């Protein structure tokens, strides 16, 4: 161990006699031939007799490695940049061709064994000491590690570049599919091919809520288009109604506030994301209840229709619920709740009492108040339909402070309305 605590392994070059380089140089061509033959025999990916350019690249790599090794034996401070850059380029090339580094690493091991065999044969002839031979072995192993590391760096760089470019294409494809009006079908098909994304028949868009403290990103299936950098993070799920797809989506989005829009033809993806965003907005406002698991727009279509134009709903409420406008807010709430339950239960007072968990006599009292306030409006089926619409919207907003679609009370009055009976149509 050296003074700085490091071992001599990793720094063996300084222990090598410089004259070894002079003994090695005359034999480099022979060693190169042996290494190439052995590599092509034992690593089938390198056995390409009809590919002259590939064989030329292999010979170039072997010769550069051998000459660099000998130059470094002669001068331990020899600059390694040229050979390591060369192997980084090899790593990038393997990634670009869609291959792994397995074949190259196998070739390096085979080449290293040939080199060590020739070194040991020469050492015996030159009567090299065991200590020196050990240092040569260490230097050879370190050299192989350096080259393997350089190739791995180039491979990773190329993979990252390809992945980044593919991700950019997929985000651009998401933009085209969400465009309104939609982009040309030919443009979408061309970009999908470049992004390696098979065109599906149907899709569903997903709108995601912004993550809170948990910043972990969901792991999506590879065929899902995703852009989590958008103002509303969004996805496109191909063939969402296929076998097992719903469960797959639910698992991927577990623990995430996610709204899945309706399934639509591919070219109508913009419509799906629009409804997903509207649903997400209503969830975030509390109009639609957030629950564990994925929320699907198709399960809340009536609510989406109600809130498609809130200004229109408010105007209709001002018109139809005007008879309640002069009451205190608490009275408005009780009577509106009772009127909605009455409309939803087929105008049956006993069922209203069960729905509201109040005494039937209390319900009848409130219904008489409502008849006094609304009069013959409650006899008109069309007006009753309007009332149910605005009362449903009001009930959905009931838990949101400050969101009311009935004007605040202008005049305080009591609950002492004269008792009357509700007439039926």
């Amino acid at each position: 161990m050296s003074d700085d605590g490091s071992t001599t392994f990793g720094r063996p070059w300084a222990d090598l006699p410089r004259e070894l380089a002079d003994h090695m140089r005359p034999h480099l061509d022979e060693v190169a031939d042996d290494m190439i033959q052995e590599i092509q025999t034992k690593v089938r990916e390198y056995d390409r007799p009809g590919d002259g350019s590939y064989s030329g690249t292999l010979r170039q790599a072997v010769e550069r490695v051998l000459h660099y090794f000998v130059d470094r034996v002669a001068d331990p401070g020899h600059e390694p940049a040229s050979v390591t850059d060369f192997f980084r380029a090899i790593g990038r090339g393997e990634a670009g061709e869609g291959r792994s580094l397995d074949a190259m690493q196998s070739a390096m091991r085979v080449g290293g064994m040939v080199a060590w065999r020739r070194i040991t044969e020469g050492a015996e002839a030159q009567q090299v000491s065991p200590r020196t031979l050990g240092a040569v072995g260490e230097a050879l192993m370190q050299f192989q590690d350096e080259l393997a590391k350089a190739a791995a760096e180039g491979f990773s760089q190329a993979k990252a570049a390809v992945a980044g470019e593919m991700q950019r294409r997929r985000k651009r494809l998401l933009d085209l599919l969400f465009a309104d009006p939609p982009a040309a079908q030919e443009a979408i098909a061309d970009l999908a091919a470049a992004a390696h994304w098979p065109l599906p028949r149907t899709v569903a868009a997903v709108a995601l809520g912004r993550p809170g403290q948990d910043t972990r990103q969901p792991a999506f299936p590879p065929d899902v288009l995703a852009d989590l950098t958008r103002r509303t993070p969004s996805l496109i799920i191909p063939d969402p109604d296929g076998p097992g797809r719903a469960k797959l989506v639910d698992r991927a989005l577990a623990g995430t506030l996610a709204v899945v829009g309706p399934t639509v033809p591919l070219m109508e993806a913009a419509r799906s994301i629009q409804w997903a965003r509207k649903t997400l907005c209503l969830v975030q406002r509390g109009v639609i209840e957030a629950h564990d698991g994925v929320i699907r727009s198709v399960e809340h279509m009536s609510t989406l229709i109600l809130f498609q134009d809130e200004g229109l709903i408010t105007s209709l409420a001002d018109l139809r619920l005007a008879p309640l406008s002069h009451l205190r807010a608490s009275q408005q709430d009780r009577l509106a709740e009772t009127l909605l339950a009455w409309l939803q239960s087929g105008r049956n007072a006993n069922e209203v009492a069960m729905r509201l968990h109040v005494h039937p006599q209390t319900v009848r009292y409130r219904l008489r108040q409502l008849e006094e306030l609304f009069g013959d409006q409650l006899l008109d089926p069309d007006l009753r339909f309007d009332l149910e619409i605005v009362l449903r919207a009001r009930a959905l907003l009931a838990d949101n402070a400050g969101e009311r679609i009935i004007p605040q009370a202008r005049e305080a009055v009591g609950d002492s309305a004269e008792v009357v009976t509700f007439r039926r149509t």
Side-chain angles (χ1 to χ4, degrees):
M1 182 174 289
S2 64
D3 293 338
D4 64 2
S6 62
T7 64
T8 55
F9 184 82
R11 301 195 309 171
W13 304 93
D15 297 332
L16 298 178
R18 306 292 171 261
E19 60 270 17
L20 278 179
D22 296 331
H23 293 296
M24 291 178 179
R25 290 191 200 280
H27 306 286
L28 290 184
D29 289 341
E30 296 175 23
V31 176
D33 291 338
D34 287 351
M35 289 175 68
I36 292 169
Q37 182 177 357
E38 193 85 358
I39 289 171
Q40 291 178 330
T41 299
K42 294 187 175 180
V43 186
R44 63 179 182 82
E45 289 85 351
Y46 286 83
D47 184 18
R48 302 186 184 184
D51 190 342
S53 62
Y54 197 84
S55 298
T57 301
L58 176 60
R59 176 166 290 277
Q60 181 186 14
V62 168
E63 289 179 350
R64 291 188 72 161
V65 167
L66 289 173
H67 281 279
Y68 173 80
F69 182 79
V70 173
D71 288 343
R72 195 165 177 183
V73 170
D75 177 11
H78 187 68
E79 175 57 47
S82 61
V83 72
T84 52
D85 287 347
F86 181 72
F87 270 78
R88 284 192 190 93
I90 290 177
R92 288 193 294 269
E94 294 294 284
E97 293 292 330
R99 294 188 293 266
S100 71
L101 290 178
D102 293 347
M104 191 209 72
Q105 290 168 344
S106 296
M108 289 179 66
R109 286 193 294 271
V110 171
M113 287 187 292
V114 172
W116 179 243
R117 184 169 64 242
R118 294 298 298 263
I119 287 171
T120 55
E121 291 172 355
E124 183 178 357
Q126 296 294 327
Q127 296 183 341
V128 175
S129 71
R131 178 182 177 84
T132 299
L133 186 60
V136 174
E138 287 188 30
L140 182 62
M141 286 187 287
Q142 179 182 320
F143 185 47
Q144 284 186 289
D145 287 343
E146 290 174 358
L147 299 184
K149 182 179 178 181
E153 288 175 354
F155 187 85
S156 297
Q157 291 167 359
K159 280 290 187 183
V162 170
E165 178 59 27
M166 200 62 65
Q167 185 61 25
R168 284 190 290 273
R169 292 174 184 174
R170 288 187 164 217
K171 286 183 178 181
R172 176 57 182 154
L173 180 58
L174 199 76
D175 291 339
L176 289 186
L177 289 169
F178 285 166
D180 187 18
Q185 191 165 356
E186 294 79 5
I188 290 174
D190 290 345
L191 188 52
H196 296 174
W197 193 69
L199 290 176
R201 187 177 60 85
T202 60
V203 296
V206 180
L208 302 178
R210 284 288 180 184
Q213 293 181 344
D214 187 358
T215 57
R216 292 175 299 176
Q217 293 186 357
F220 304 118
D223 61 346
V224 170
L225 296 181
D227 185 357
L228 304 185
T229 64
R230 303 171 74 91
R231 185 173 62 182
T232 300
S234 305
L235 316 173
I236 286 183
I237 300 170
D239 299 320
D241 299 329
R245 295 290 285 176
K247 289 183 178 179
L248 187 67
V249 171
D250 288 352
R251 283 197 300 271
L253 296 173
T256 305
L257 176 56
V259 177
V260 180
T263 299
V264 296
L266 175 64
M267 297 305 295
E268 297 180 24
R271 179 163 63 89
S272 185
I273 193 60
Q274 287 168 5
W275 284 109
R277 289 171 182 160
K278 290 178 185 293
T279 307
L280 178 62
C281 180
L282 293 178
V283 171
Q284 291 170 330
R285 288 172 55 187
V287 176
I288 293 175
E289 182 181 359
H291 53 76
D292 294 336
V294 175
I295 299 165
R296 288 177 164 78
S297 293
V298 292
E299 297 173 2
H300 303 278
M301 293 304 286
S302 60
T303 302
L304 288 166
I305 292 170
L306 276 179
F307 287 86
Q308 177 68 6
D309 188 334
E310 293 187 46
L312 193 58
I313 285 289
T314 300
S315 296
L316 183 61
D318 288 343
L319 177 65
R320 296 297 179 228
L321 300 181
L324 301 179
S325 62
H326 68 285
L327 303 177
R328 293 193 304 269
S330 59
Q331 289 179 293
Q332 290 183 13
D333 292 340
R334 288 195 298 272
L335 292 180
E337 180 185 48
T338 302
L339 181 55
L340 178 59
W342 180 74
L343 293 167
Q344 291 177 328
S345 61
R347 293 170 287 161
N348 184 303
N350 290 328
E351 187 174 337
V352 173
M354 288 188 290
R355 279 178 178 239
L356 301 183
H357 305 290
V358 297
H359 195 278
Q361 188 60 34
T362 301
V363 171
R364 292 188 182 94
Y365 173 63
R366 293 179 187 175
L367 292 176
R368 290 178 186 123
Q369 288 182 287
L370 288 165
E371 187 176 58
E372 271 198 342
L373 292 167
F374 285 89
D376 290 343
Q377 292 184 61
L378 299 178
L379 303 178
D380 187 324
D382 292 334
L383 294 181
R384 287 201 303 268
F385 180 73
D386 287 355
L387 283 169
E388 185 168 356
I389 288 175
V390 296
L391 288 169
R392 279 176 178 269
R394 184 186 187 280
L396 289 168
L397 290 172
D399 294 332
N400 293 273
E403 293 195 70
R404 300 177 62 84
I405 59 169
I406 301 178
Q408 293 292 329
R410 293 191 295 268
E411 181 181 356
V413 298
D415 286 344
S416 58
E418 180 181 349
V419 174
V420 296
T421 58
F422 240 30
R423 297 192 300 272
R424 296 178 179 275
T425 56

